[in-house]
Amino acid sequence: MKRVSERPTNRLIEATSPYLLQHAHNPVDWHEWGSEALERAKREQKPILLSIGYAACHWCHVMERESFEDEATARMMNEHFVSVKVDREERPDLDAIYMDAVQAMSGHGGWPMTVFLTPEGEPFFAGTYFPPEDRHGMPGFRRVLEALAEAWTNRREDVRRQAGQVVKAVSRGVSLPASTDPLSDDVLRQAHAGLARMFDSDWGGFGPAPKFPQPMTIEFLLRCHLRGYDRALEMATFTLDAMANGGLYDQIGGGFHRYATDRRWLVPHFEKMLYDNAQLARLYLHAWQLTGSERYRRVVVETLDYLLREMRGPEGAFYSSQDADTEGVEGKFYVWSYDDLVREPGEHGSLIAARYGASPEGNWDGTNVLWTPRSLEEVAGEAGVGVDDLDRAVSAARGRLREAREKRVAPSIDDKVLTAWNALTITAMAEAGRVLDEARFVEAAVGAAEFLVSSLRRTDGRLLRSWRAGRTSGPAYADDYAMLAGACLSLYETTFDHRWAAEARALGDDLLRLFHDPDGGGFFQTGSDAEALVVRPKEVFDNAVPSGNSAAAEFLQRLTLLTGENEYETAAISGLRIVREHMGNAPSGFGTALSALDLYLSDAKEVAIVGATEAPETRDLVLEVWRRFLPNSVLAVGDPNDRDAARIVPLLANRKPLNGKPAAYVCERFVCQQPVTGAEALAAQLA
């Protein structure tokens, strides 16, 4: 059998996406999405076979091996269809539109996504994974190809009518009317009550297996705690503890896997995604600010160190994901045989195995997924050793186990750089760096941000979605703009370099110009300058990452607090009005939107500190703000001798030191309390 590199290539060999490059040696005559494929479909009057997936998707790999590498299947695809392969992470707009179509036609969704389109791009049949032959009630892929080719040849008008109906259904789904009902805390209370009903009081999380981490939902619960809502902190911390104890968390290398397949958080789906780890690190940081639990601090540091060690490229930006599979086996890199687990740490091997919940028979397919179902005290008591002695032994063993694991074949990395996902990482790194006094995290945040604003832009200033190996692909979306703007704001609140405040405002202005819907409210996913698709989507659900609509609603309110410009807040609130009727009923799908609503309804604090930024007295005031969990606040710091400070950050305008000392001004909607010069007095105003 020929090696992959020796096989003939198709058009995907020119792609930037690692996922597309994985299919560059298929016998399928693949196209990327674009004018060439669409014009060919119209010219030859062939339907389009659209296949959407991503590099870390296990079942995408399976379908490739079973169908796309099969010569007979490829011949059918090449004869009857124009086949188009899309990386959902590069083209979230296509993914959103056609996922809506898949769900409308089949009642469920997922990846790989398989959609059949008219030459005009209208979907008429859709599904997800198809096996090569009929199996478990699913039709075989070749049988699907035969049936659809026959339908297109002999019943084309029926097919087109079906496609038109699907497009109408998808269009209705993206046209959400703006609510005229008040945006009140009744919505927050309803969402909190819904989460309480879904809460798994035995193992944490919400709902049955499979269980996803849902960082945005738990972030909302931390805000509910600040509002005094019953059990909000308990639900949040119980879930955070369970996730950190489980196999969802990489007990040896740090960082979180994508989701757990069971209620106990034991067996994960093993891919690691940049966006999960960025959001979870920030969430655990906020939990540490609220509780002081050292364990949460450790999770933050280990997770961000994992990203620095394994997911950062030489240019300073962060890669997208690590695969679940190695050598064709899911989880092989991460699981342990009992014998290896006992042998590698040396003299304390059996004790280490007990700590990590391992057994000779294994806890998953004869192997052991490492987790910590029992406390350190329980394991130490059973073994008759001191807790401190066990803790030291475990710490030493983790290093040796990681060294042993690194000798294995490592999971492949999707090394493309995505703007939105990097923005989430910059925010987490910046916040953790300032709160935990870890300079390496701040330096990493600045480096990644500098790369994004310089290398992911066209010459006309238009932000781009993706970069890989010196090549970019496609214009950025609303989430890219909103999240990068928010990341720049976090960098400003960390470094007090006014460059980042100016960058945040410029991105905010572009967000309004390109994506805001002044007629229907909220934000389109695609820019006004983007290619025309069958519908112009509005992404409103917070799924694995915040939607562009939610991220814009949160960021633009914060920008209003810094600038006093109500135009930003008006647009932000329009984004909340189009989801008002849904937030309370489906809280797990609107975590960031609910946090943005909490910000709107809160007595948000604008803190302006005026003094030499390196002066110890200024630093004391800043630290008083940093150490607290103040989600509904902004912080501006400026040197009184800096003439540009107030121009770039209007919150600093007319603020002066007090009796020659650095002063803090705590304001609400630009109405300020008396300035103070001491950290204790500032603490009283922030309480």
Side-chain angles (χ1 to χ4, degrees):
M1 182 176 176
K2 290 183 179 180
R3 295 195 307 270
V4 166
S5 60
E6 295 174 344
R7 293 189 209 155
T9 59
N10 56 49
R11 293 174 184 80
L12 299 186
I13 199 65
E14 301 297 328
T16 58
S17 159
Y19 173 64
L20 268 57
L21 289 169
Q22 288 170 4
H23 294 77
H25 297 271
N26 297 162
V28 177
D29 185 16
W30 288 115
H31 293 69
E32 292 190 67
W33 180 276
S35 59
E36 180 184 353
L38 300 175
E39 289 168 5
R40 179 185 168 191
K42 292 175 183 176
R43 184 174 64 251
E44 299 180 8
Q45 277 301 291
K46 286 183 176 180
I48 295 167
L49 193 168
L50 176 64
S51 177
I52 301 180
Y54 58 102
C57 167
H58 171 71
W59 287 102
C60 299
H61 300 329
V62 173
M63 192 165 175
E64 180 191 12
R65 289 195 300 268
E66 292 176 339
S67 295
F68 302 147
E69 291 183 353
D70 179 72
E71 297 283 352
T73 304
R75 278 195 299 273
M76 293 180 66
M77 294 171 65
N78 296 341
E79 180 180 355
H80 297 292
F81 303 92
V82 174
S83 297
V84 176
K85 177 61 75 172
V86 166
D87 182 338
R88 67 177 295 262
E89 296 166 355
E90 282 192 340
R91 291 300 303 263
D93 54 339
L94 295 173
D95 184 63
I97 291 168
Y98 293 112
M99 181 59 76
D100 285 348
V102 171
Q103 292 172 333
M105 284 187 272
S106 68
H108 64 274
W111 298 274
M113 191 196 310
T114 309
V115 193
F116 293 84
L117 318 175
T118 68
E120 294 73 35
E122 297 184 339
F124 61 86
F125 184 84
T128 53
Y129 164 77
F130 288 101
E133 298 174 349
D134 294 2
R135 185 192 305 159
H136 305 305
M138 292 184 288
F141 189 51
R142 276 181 285 183
R143 189 155 73 87
V144 170
L145 296 175
E146 289 172 355
L148 294 177
E150 186 276 331
W152 181 255
T153 300
N154 298 320
R155 290 175 281 118
R156 190 169 301 184
E157 289 309 309
D158 292 340
V159 169
R160 288 191 178 278
R161 274 194 296 272
Q162 162 79 1
Q165 291 169 358
V166 174
V167 170
K168 286 180 182 177
V170 171
S171 298
R172 286 194 296 271
V174 300
S175 301
L176 297 174
S179 173
T180 57
D181 291 337
L183 290 170
S184 68
D185 63 0
D186 290 343
V187 177
L188 303 180
R189 292 185 181 278
Q190 182 184 2
H192 169 262
L195 293 174
R197 287 192 298 272
M198 292 188 289
F199 181 63
D200 182 345
S201 57
D202 295 322
W203 292 99
F206 305 91
K211 281 186 174 174
F212 290 81
Q214 299 192 39
M216 290 167 277
T217 299
I218 304 173
E219 186 80 30
F220 169 63
L221 284 177
L222 297 184
R223 290 167 174 257
C224 288
H225 169 68
L226 296 183
R227 287 182 167 269
Y229 291 2
D230 186 47
R231 295 184 61 218
L233 186 61
E234 175 191 339
M235 288 189 285
T237 57
F238 190 84
T239 302
L240 293 174
D241 291 341
M243 291 193 301
N245 283 334
L248 182 80
Y249 186 66
D250 182 353
Q251 303 292 336
I252 300 304
F256 290 85
H257 299 292
R258 180 68 193 97
Y259 64 87
T261 61
D262 61 292
R263 276 186 70 198
R264 302 180 296 168
W265 306 99
L266 169 57
V267 180
H269 193 44
F270 287 91
E271 72 254 36
K272 287 181 174 180
M273 310 300 294
L274 179 63
Y275 56 73
D276 283 325
N277 285 284
Q279 291 178 97
L280 286 165
R282 185 172 180 244
L283 173 63
Y284 277 86
L285 177 71
H286 295 166
W288 178 77
Q289 287 178 300
L290 277 173
T291 67
S293 171
E294 179 58 27
R295 183 187 196 184
Y296 296 156
R297 186 188 197 281
R298 178 178 62 81
V299 169
V300 175
V301 172
E302 289 178 358
T303 300
L304 295 182
D305 277 341
Y306 151 71
L307 293 179
L308 292 178
R309 185 178 66 246
E310 299 187 34
M311 296 291 281
R312 183 168 59 162
E315 70 289 331
F318 292 86
Y319 299 146
S320 295
S321 65
Q322 282 182 314
D323 210 329
D325 299 6
T326 48
E327 301 177 280
V329 180
E330 185 178 8
K332 185 175 181 180
F333 180 76
Y334 298 101
V335 300
W336 294 81
S337 72
Y338 186 78
D339 290 343
D340 286 347
L341 188 60
V342 170
R343 182 181 65 253
E344 291 294 347
E347 59 177 317
H348 299 295
S350 59
L351 191 59
I352 300 304
R355 172 58 179 153
Y356 286 124
S359 65
E361 62 274 13
N363 56 30
W364 182 60
D365 286 352
T367 65
N368 288 283
V369 177
L370 304 192
W371 66 325
T372 55
R374 297 187 295 160
S375 70
L376 209 62
E377 290 76 12
E378 287 180 86
V379 177
E382 185 178 281
V385 300
V387 173
D388 290 342
D389 292 336
L390 176 58
D391 193 27
R392 283 191 291 271
V394 169
S395 296
R398 287 182 77 222
R400 288 193 289 271
L401 289 170
R402 198 171 84 198
E403 289 175 8
R405 199 174 74 173
E406 286 173 353
K407 296 175 184 176
R408 303 174 181 176
V409 176
S412 61
I413 291 179
D414 183 336
D415 60 352
K416 68 176 178 292
V417 172
L418 293 171
T419 297
W421 298 8
N422 268 261
L424 291 171
T425 309
I426 291 164
T427 298
M429 291 275 178
E431 286 195 23
R434 74 187 184 222
V435 172
L436 303 180
D437 194 23
E438 296 283 1
R440 68 185 184 282
F441 296 151
V442 176
E443 291 167 4
V446 171
E450 288 178 337
F451 179 80
L452 293 185
V453 300
S454 62
S455 298
L456 276 98
R457 274 199 166 127
R458 292 192 315 223
T459 54
D460 63 359
R462 181 61 157 91
L463 196 63
L464 300 171
R465 170 69 175 181
S466 176
W467 177 97
R468 181 178 180 271
R471 297 172 61 199
T472 55
S473 64
Y477 300 92
D479 62 331
D480 296 302
Y481 273 88
M483 290 182 209
L484 182 56
C488 290
L489 206 52
S490 293
L491 270 182
Y492 168 69
E493 293 178 304
T494 301
T495 64
F496 309 120
D497 182 342
H498 298 309
R499 166 196 176 185
W500 297 115
E503 192 73 61
R505 185 163 187 174
L507 288 165
D509 290 339
D510 285 343
L511 178 65
L512 289 183
R513 178 176 59 84
L514 291 167
F515 301 97
H516 179 49
D517 179 0
D519 300 317
F523 297 82
F524 291 107
Q525 185 179 21
T526 55
S528 55
D529 58 348
E531 68 173 301
L533 302 173
V534 290
V535 298
R536 188 180 180 191
K538 279 185 183 175
E539 181 196 24
V540 296
F541 289 98
D542 299 324
N543 291 310
V545 297
S547 71
N549 190 72
S550 297
E554 185 169 37
F555 162 71
L556 290 171
Q557 288 186 80
R558 297 187 67 223
L559 189 58
T560 300
L561 297 176
L562 274 181
T563 65
E565 296 290 340
N566 289 327
E567 175 191 13
Y568 299 129
E569 184 179 73
T570 299
I573 302 315
S574 80
L576 297 180
R577 290 202 175 279
I578 66 172
V579 296
R580 187 218 181 271
E581 306 308 322
H582 304 278
M583 286 190 281
N585 294 323
S588 61
F590 294 94
T592 297
L594 286 162
S595 291
L597 178 59
D598 173 63
L599 171 55
Y600 176 65
L601 297 173
S602 73
D603 296 324
K605 287 184 168 54
E606 308 130 13
V607 183
I609 297 176
V610 182
T613 54
E614 299 304 318
E617 297 88 349
T618 305
R619 186 74 176 174
D620 288 344
L621 295 171
V622 168
L623 290 175
E624 192 60 45
V625 179
W626 278 354
R627 72 180 184 84
R628 299 165 179 272
F629 178 53
L630 296 170
N632 298 326
S633 68
V634 292
L635 173 63
V637 177
D639 191 308
N641 297 317
D642 184 350
R643 295 181 179 179
D644 288 330
R647 176 181 60 82
I648 297 171
V649 184
L651 182 58
L652 292 168
N654 302 315
R655 316 289 185 207
K656 298 178 180 179
L658 190 63
N659 299 322
K661 295 181 179 180
Y665 296 74
V666 177
C667 314
E668 293 179 9
R669 306 294 174 181
F670 281 77
V671 176
C672 301
Q673 301 182 51
Q674 289 293 321
V676 295
T677 58
E680 187 174 335
L682 175 58
Q685 292 189 354
L686 294 173

